[in-house]
Amino acid sequence: AENTYGKVGILLQVYLSRRYIETFSLVSDCNYVLQNASRLFRALFEMTMTRVTNMSEMSDRLLEWCKMIDRRMWQSQHVLRHFCHPPTTMSNKRGMSLDDGPKGGVLKEQIVKKLEDSGFDWWRMSTMSLQELTGITGAKQNGAAVQKYMRRVPNLEL
């Protein structure tokens, strides 16, 4: 990037896209940007919400960026992508990381990519049967996993 703004933008994109950075200096810069970006976006969001600024669209955009940075996920990605990368916090019961558990408890990223490429959103998939989900994902095991994690997504009906 030619300037600091471009570098910050690229580092945020790399972080949200879950790409690997090899250079130590870039890793250090990325950590600095992320620590401050989260605080900065939250502060700007609060400013637009607390003052009479008539900036509801700006508030909406800032809230989207806050959520994207916290979740490390683009706004446009499928809701099931939350289950591809579990948090690595420690469990209170067993004292071990969520990543130390049995493999296969997390939705495979290839399945979610297939759903994103095919254009199947949560609303459309919520009405599908296991056979239809199996046809989309290619295997009965994958269809069952998608159905399992679809039930874990909160849904509010008014």
Side-chain angles (χ1 to χ4, degrees), residues 3 22 32 35 51 56 58 84 87 90 120 122 140 158:
N3 57 25
E22 295 178 4
Y32 177 78
Q35 288 171 353
R51 297 187 181 158
S56 60
M58 175 68 80
C84 291
M90 300 299 276
F120 290 103
W122 186 88
K140 187 172 184 176
L158 299 176

Side-chain angles (χ1 to χ4, degrees), residues 63-108:
L63 181 60
E64 283 179 9
W65 273 97
C66 289
K67 291 191 296 187
M68 284 191 296
I69 291 171
D70 288 344
R71 297 173 183 163
R72 196 175 180 183
M73 196 174 102
W74 290 103
Q75 184 76 15
S76 61
Q77 289 179 318
H78 200 280
V79 69
L80 289 179
R81 194 164 286 275
H82 287 283
F83 300 107
C84 291
H85 304 282
T88 56
T89 57
M90 300 299 276
S91 171
N92 291 336
K93 294 180 182 176
R94 297 183 188 148
M96 61 189 223
S97 170
L98 292 174
D99 291 337
D100 294 338
K103 300 299 178 199
V106 177
L107 201 55
K108 295 177 184 172

Side-chain angles (χ1 to χ4, degrees), residues 23 29 41 73 124 139:
T23 311
D29 290 345
F41 280 117
M73 196 174 102
R124 189 170 167 196

Side-chain angles (χ1 to χ4, degrees), residues 10 22 34 127 132 135 149 154:
I10 290 170
E22 295 178 4
L34 291 172
T127 59
E132 291 172 316
Y149 287 108

Side-chain angles (χ1 to χ4, degrees), residues 78-83 107 111-112 115 120-130 133 136-137 142-156:
H78 200 280
V79 69
L80 289 179
R81 194 164 286 275
H82 287 283
F83 300 107
L107 201 55
I111 298 171
V112 178
L115 294 172
F120 290 103
D121 62 348
W122 186 88
W123 295 105
R124 189 170 167 196
M125 291 174 52
S126 64
T127 59
M128 292 184 175
S129 66
L130 178 60
L133 291 172
I136 295 167
T137 58
N142 295 342
V146 167
Q147 192 174 48
K148 171 185 170 184
Y149 287 108
M150 285 289 294
R151 282 189 244 121
R152 292 186 180 186
V153 176
N155 182 22
L156 177 65

